Amino acid sequence: MFSDLVLIQQLYSDARPLLSECIDEKQLNKLDNELAERIENCRPVVMVYGVYNAGKSTFINALVGEEVAEMDDIPRTDRVTCYPFTQFEIIDTPGIDAPMEHEEVTREQFLYSDSVIFVLSSDGVFDEQATYCEIFRIIEAGKPLLIVINNKSGYSEADPEYTAIVDKIKHNLYHQAKPEFREKALQVPVWLVNAKSALKAKLEHKSALLAKSNIQALEREVQRLFMTTDKAVMLNTYKGLIRNEIENALFKLDDLQQEGEMKKLSKLLTRIDESRQTLLAKTERKIRAAKGKMKDDVYQLLSNQQYESVSSLLEEWQKQNTEYFQQELGTALAEIGQQAEKLISDIPRFSGSGLNGTASFDEDGQSLFNLSDLVQFGRKIKLDDQVLKEGMIGAMKMGKNYFPKLFKGIGPKTMEKYAAKIVPFIGPAVDLAMGIYDFYQAKSAEEKEVEARRLYMQRISEQSTQLVTEVQDAILETFTDIVRQIFTPLMNEIQDELDTLEGHATANGRMTKRLLTLKEALA
């Protein structure tokens, strides 16, 4: 440990003057202080993270045994807060669904943390892609991880729902992980605990309630996590902090040293990628923002047996989201066209057939797209509102005229499939809800009517959530597939040209080489 620590300090000492040429001094001073404090105290930092409203603050309070963390249904955590627990420090952070500026706080804290406790809720949805993306980011970073399910539903270990939750999470961890990380994903501990009951039991000294909450068993698992967060893990965190600043410096150096065509083409590629990400993010935010109200509306309609109205409601939701998406897609492509037009004005040869200025054709003899086509495509979408009125199919048909290779796989049948992909999800799900009602009608003759009604309404609530989630996921999957088919060939073509240019580029310079050497030494 001591020799490794001395080596890290020496590497950082060598990198510090180079970093000061590219990185803000305030940021470097923060890193100086963090490294000095952590090396002196040698206390592992455990980050509590997870889904909004899963009960992270309640969980922290249950562990500490006091109401130290503010508990609220509104996401107020816009900063990290440290709570001492035995010989460790627990850090509370914003959740996955926090505002963008709050998420930046979490991203930064992730670099400074040695291990992570990821909190979900038993009444949540366990198939959200964003949730598993965050979990895999932790696993791939090599940080010890513990998944805690806040058992708000009060399931006992004997309940089938208890086992089903754990099995569902384990299944998703394995099947959604990259092949090389699947074994690590399976080794992640998953525990259920009723944080609210545990806190109440500790505050009121109720031993029976404490045992039922499962907090004592979880505390032992948390201690094992702390023990796993050993000196080697902490050293890896130190190295990661320094590597991150080196990567930031390399990025800035690359931006400063890149000249001419390669620099301008790289900026266009970055703009296109940013447009792609922004398009998907804006669309997803809009859909998810309406999910809660949509679930409530579906619940009311199913409760009143207005099954045809449910289909109409969800189809209208699909239509509204599609109109919003195609409008945002048109705006994104128009903006990309403007950027391409600016690049052509600076480098006229990019307007020729093929990005490298030479004639280029695919196996069917169709000319590959070039930046001039991209400019015309952007102008057409921007100036002609008719394509937006015609909807997604109209946009794709027009795109095929301008980009024969780019839209090669999107024929009339594919276009129709996109236009109607979500609707098949709606009918069977509503039919299922009708079947549920028939079941409980029969059951009410055997049991008390009040109980039968309660069970019926509970199942309707569950079905409403499942139905809206399935439609939401189908819409997002469709839009993601469209974006992939449009943007990926475009970005690949530009990247190929960049790779050719970079193959003839000179070395980045002495400073870049030295930073890369230091970065490798910290690997």
Side-chain angles (χ1 to χ4, degrees):
M1 166 70 176
F2 180 76
S3 59
D4 289 338
L5 187 55
V6 170
L7 175 59
I8 291 174
Q9 288 176 314
Q10 183 58 54
L11 290 171
Y12 181 59
S13 178
D14 293 342
R16 185 64 166 79
L18 301 174
L19 293 174
S20 64
E21 297 291 329
C22 309
I23 304 298
D24 181 70
E25 191 65 23
K26 183 178 179 181
Q27 176 66 22
L28 287 180
N29 288 336
K30 180 180 179 181
L31 179 58
D32 293 342
N33 296 334
E34 179 70 21
L35 290 174
E37 180 181 345
R38 298 198 59 183
I39 289 171
E40 180 181 354
N41 296 335
C42 208
R43 295 182 65 182
V45 174
V46 180
M47 171 181 170
V48 177
Y49 185 37
V51 176
Y52 158 62
N53 211 21
K56 298 187 300 297
S57 298
T58 307
F59 168 71
I60 290 174
N61 290 337
L63 274 183
V64 177
E66 300 178 39
E67 292 183 338
V68 293
E70 182 180 356
M71 297 176 290
D72 203 324
D73 287 337
I74 301 174
R76 299 187 185 278
T77 307
D78 58 355
R79 59 188 180 278
V80 298
T81 309
C82 178
Y83 303 101
F85 180 74
T86 64
Q87 70 272 38
F88 303 92
E89 291 181 352
I90 296 180
I91 303 295
D92 191 13
T93 60
I96 287 179
D97 300 324
M100 293 297 292
E101 63 272 18
H102 294 190
E103 287 192 7
E104 292 177 6
V105 173
T106 302
R107 300 289 184 193
E108 181 178 4
Q109 183 56 42
F110 179 74
L111 294 171
Y112 286 84
S113 299
D114 300 305
S115 56
V116 181
I117 298 175
F118 197 93
V119 182
L120 300 170
S121 173
S122 62
D123 60 2
V125 179
F126 298 110
D127 293 321
E128 295 284 2
Q129 186 64 35
T131 299
Y132 290 93
C133 285
E134 292 302 312
I135 291 175
F136 295 139
R137 189 167 66 92
I138 299 166
I139 294 174
E140 292 172 17
K143 296 181 186 287
L145 169 65
L146 169 63
I147 296 178
V148 173
I149 312 298
N150 188 10
N151 190 6
K152 293 183 178 181
S153 304
Y155 299 129
S156 69
E157 293 187 40
D159 293 332
E161 291 88 351
Y162 186 106
T163 304
I165 288 174
V166 176
D167 289 346
K168 181 66 172 178
I169 293 174
K170 287 286 189 180
H171 177 273
N172 287 342
L173 283 174
Y174 181 80
H175 289 282
Q176 294 190 37
K178 296 177 183 177
E180 62 268 29
F181 291 104
R182 283 178 177 169
E183 289 304 317
K184 286 187 177 181
L186 279 180
Q187 294 170 10
V188 175
V190 179
W191 282 78
L192 271 75
V193 62
N194 191 320
K196 187 176 182 179
S197 295
L199 177 59
K200 179 180 176 66
K202 286 189 176 183
L203 293 176
E204 300 178 7
H205 307 289
K206 296 182 177 180
S207 57
L209 183 61
L210 188 68
K212 185 178 179 181
S213 71
N214 205 32
I215 188 66
Q216 293 168 315
L218 177 61
E219 284 174 342
R220 291 191 290 271
E221 187 62 38
V222 171
Q223 286 295 337
R224 278 193 287 271
L225 174 72
F226 290 159
M227 293 303 103
T228 305
T229 311
D230 55 15
K231 299 295 190 286
V233 173
M234 294 172 64
L235 284 171
N236 189 55
T237 301
Y238 304 156
K239 291 191 289 186
L241 289 170
I242 302 171
R243 278 201 313 270
N244 183 66
E245 294 303 338
I246 289 177
E247 289 171 357
N248 289 338
L250 287 170
F251 178 81
K252 290 186 177 181
L253 278 173
D254 184 63
D255 188 54
L256 289 172
Q257 294 179 0
Q258 208 170 32
E259 296 178 357
E261 297 175 353
M262 191 165 66
K263 179 178 179 180
K264 293 175 181 179
L265 199 59
S266 179
K267 284 187 175 181
L268 176 62
L269 181 60
T270 300
R271 293 284 181 84
I272 293 174
D273 189 42
E274 290 173 349
S275 296
R276 177 187 64 82
Q277 294 183 53
T278 300
L279 170 63
L280 289 174
K282 288 176 67 176
T283 305
E284 182 171 354
R285 280 198 297 269
K286 183 179 187 302
I287 293 173
R288 293 193 186 281
K291 180 181 177 181
K293 184 179 185 304
M294 187 60 56
K295 185 186 74 171
D296 292 340
D297 291 344
V298 170
Y299 173 82
Q300 291 298 327
L301 291 173
L302 290 180
S303 301
N304 297 327
Q305 305 169 41
Q306 296 176 276
Y307 304 117
E308 293 182 0
S309 297
V310 173
S311 297
S312 300
L313 176 66
L314 292 175
E315 288 171 12
E316 178 60 25
W317 189 36
Q318 172 195 348
K319 179 182 177 182
Q320 291 173 358
N321 286 318
T322 300
E323 289 175 350
Y324 177 83
F325 172 73
Q326 65 192 29
Q327 188 169 5
E328 291 298 319
L329 174 62
T331 300
L333 290 173
E335 291 173 352
I336 292 171
Q338 291 177 357
Q339 295 299 322
E341 187 172 21
K342 185 177 184 304
L343 180 59
I344 288 177
S345 67
D346 294 336
I347 309 173
R349 76 178 185 87
F350 279 158
S351 64
S353 298
L355 283 180
N356 58 14
T358 59
S360 182
F361 301 91
D362 67 9
E363 57 186 8
D364 295 328
Q366 293 178 310
S367 175
L368 299 177
F369 75 91
N370 55 59
L371 291 186
S372 291
D373 289 341
L374 183 58
V375 171
Q376 294 302 319
F377 187 49
R379 287 177 178 170
K380 181 70 175 177
I381 288 183
K382 183 180 180 182
L383 298 177
D384 187 358
D385 291 336
Q386 185 61 35
V387 67
L388 295 178
K389 295 176 182 177
E390 291 174 358
M392 191 64 64
I393 294 178
M396 290 184 176
K397 286 179 178 178
M398 192 193 73
K400 195 162 187 175
N401 292 334
Y402 280 100
F403 296 95
K405 182 184 179 185
L406 190 65
F407 286 79
K408 182 178 178 182
I410 307 181
K413 291 184 178 179
T414 307
M415 296 176 197
E416 296 293 345
K417 180 187 74 173
Y418 283 141
K421 186 171 183 181
I422 293 89
V423 175
F425 279 85
I426 299 173
V430 175
D431 291 340
L432 177 59
M434 295 173 67
I436 293 166
Y437 177 69
D438 292 338
F439 169 77
Y440 283 116
Q441 272 191 323
K443 191 170 183 178
S444 65
E446 302 173 8
E447 297 181 2
K448 292 181 179 179
E449 185 174 347
V450 172
E451 177 64 8
R453 178 66 179 174
R454 185 188 68 79
L455 292 173
Y456 166 62
M457 298 307 293
Q458 177 181 331
R459 189 65 185 91
I460 286 296
S461 177
E462 295 170 354
Q463 184 62 24
S464 300
T465 300
Q466 179 182 347
L467 176 57
V468 172
T469 299
E470 287 180 353
V471 173
Q472 167 199 273
D473 291 345
I475 294 173
L476 289 174
E477 179 186 352
T478 302
F479 292 171
T480 301
D481 195 28
I482 292 170
V483 169
R484 178 185 59 78
Q485 292 218 37
I486 292 176
F487 279 78
T488 299
L490 173 61
M491 295 176 66
N492 286 345
E493 187 77 359
I494 295 177
Q495 185 60 58
D496 288 343
E497 182 68 12
L498 266 175
D499 291 342
T500 300
L501 293 174
E502 288 174 346
H504 301 288
T506 58
N508 286 331
R510 184 166 56 91
M511 186 179 297
T512 300
K513 288 181 180 179
R514 288 179 62 188
L515 284 173
L516 285 172
T517 301
L518 291 169
K519 179 184 174 183
E520 291 173 3
L522 288 163

